């Protein structure tokens, strides 16, 4: 499996709205903790270590 960097989310605007709503009412610290937990949940779902390594590299260079 390789990292997919092409648009792949149905209704990306709807997802973005949902993501923003999930942060509503959170302090900066709570928001950062939420993001960290979300990253770990999604990384666990992906599960493929090589894909996660690619994602770390891609996020660092973008």
């Amino acid at each position: 499996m390789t990292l997919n960097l092409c648009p792949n989310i149905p209704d990306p605007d709807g997802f973005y709205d949902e993501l923003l709503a999930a942060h509503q009412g959170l302090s900066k610290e709570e928001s950062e903790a939420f993001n960290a937990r979300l990253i770990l949940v999604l990384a666990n779902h992906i599960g493929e270590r090589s894909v996660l390594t690619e994602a770390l590299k891609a996020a660092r260079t973008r």
Side-chain angles (χ1 to χ4, degrees):
M1 179 189 296
T2 60
L3 183 63
N4 180 3
L5 294 175
C6 297
N8 194 37
I9 299 172
D11 185 25
D13 292 336
F15 174 73
Y16 185 70
D17 290 342
E18 192 174 352
L19 180 60
L20 291 180
H23 284 267
Q24 266 189 321
L26 299 180
S27 68
K28 182 179 186 320
E29 293 80 15
E30 291 169 329
S31 183
E32 289 171 353
F34 173 86
N35 282 337
R37 289 190 303 272
L38 180 59
I39 289 165
L40 292 174
V41 166
L42 294 173
N44 183 67
H45 176 75
I46 292 167
E48 184 74 35
R49 183 59 194 268
S50 63
V51 173
L52 296 172
T53 298
E54 281 186 68
L56 289 171
K57 289 176 184 174
R60 182 73 186 214
T61 59
R62 289 185 174 251

